[in-house]
Amino acid sequence: QVELVQSGAEVKKPGASVKVSCKASGYTFSSYGISWVRQAPRQGLEWMGWISPYNGNTNYAQKFQGRVTMTRDTSTSTVYMELRSLRSDDTAVYYCARDCYSTSCYVHWGQGTLVTVSS
Amino acid sequence: IVLTQSPGTLSLSPGERATLSCRASQTVSSTYLAWYQQKPGQAPRLLIYGASSRATGIPDRFRGGGSGTDFTLTISRLEPEDFAVYYCQQYGSSRWTFGQGTKVEIK
């Protein structure tokens, strides 16, 4: 079965960087794009960007351009999301989610990683 | 693609019917439209994918429909556990979007 397992909670100071991992299993890693989505406290779901595990191509939301980098390691079926220059309003739960390209499949989500930015 | 959900809040009583709307700024393939339910402190729970397919374990009182730019989620008879926030999502590409959410609250 498809499974996405994310790294654990992080506490960071303003100005620091955080790197969250998402290890995929149960399917052919290179066949489906992975998006990162975040949810700040009492806010909605916000798409941050997408990476193709096949070739490493990325597409970032304009809001995060220049501050986020998404990478992948095909040898371990893991994708990474690094967010730099953290601010207090980056405090959120960060999710990775696997895309879907047919009527018979659906988006699979990781369990979420809480990132707290506090001085 | 911008997804706009309405209403922002829906105040209903248990047993009533809820109709939630998700309108897209441009055509969305029905294949790639999903609905989620979220309760406080929990991750989003997939209800509907492909605009009208219920996810595993989702009761049949939840029904998704629509096409093109207009999609709906209908809850035929609200149960106490259905009071939550609902999001629509378009996926299936390198750029996803979410609606801003509809809160279904107890009247």
Side-chain angles (χ1 to χ4, degrees), chain A residues 39 47 50 59 99 101 105 109, chain B residues 32 36 38 92-95:
Chain A
Q39 187 171 38
W47 178 78
W50 171 95
N59 189 12
D99 213 337
Y101 305 123
C105 76
W109 293 68
Chain B
Y32 305 125
Y36 296 86
Q38 189 174 37
S93 73
S94 63
R95 184 170 292 273

Side-chain angles (χ1 to χ4, degrees), chain A residues 5-80:
Chain A
V5 178
Q6 298 183 221
S7 50
E10 303 262 14
V11 179
K12 297 292 182 180
K13 294 194 182 302
S17 299
V18 69
K19 192 170 187 177
V20 180
S21 68
C22 170
K23 183 174 176 58
S25 62
Y27 70 97
T28 302
F29 179 64
S30 59
S31 295
Y32 297 89
I34 288 182
S35 276
W36 288 88
V37 175
R38 77 177 188 180
Q39 187 171 38
R42 295 170 298 282
Q43 301 297 313
L45 298 165
E46 181 176 34
W47 178 78
M48 299 178 67
W50 171 95
I51 182 168
S52 165
Y54 175 72
N55 56 17
N57 286 353
T58 55
N59 189 12
Y60 302 138
Q62 187 169 7
K63 175 177 179 176
F64 300 101
Q65 287 273 5
R67 210 160 64 93
V68 71
T69 301
M70 297 177 188
T71 56
R72 96 290 193 211
D73 182 344
T74 56
S75 68
T76 60
S77 299
T78 302
V79 298
Y80 300 90

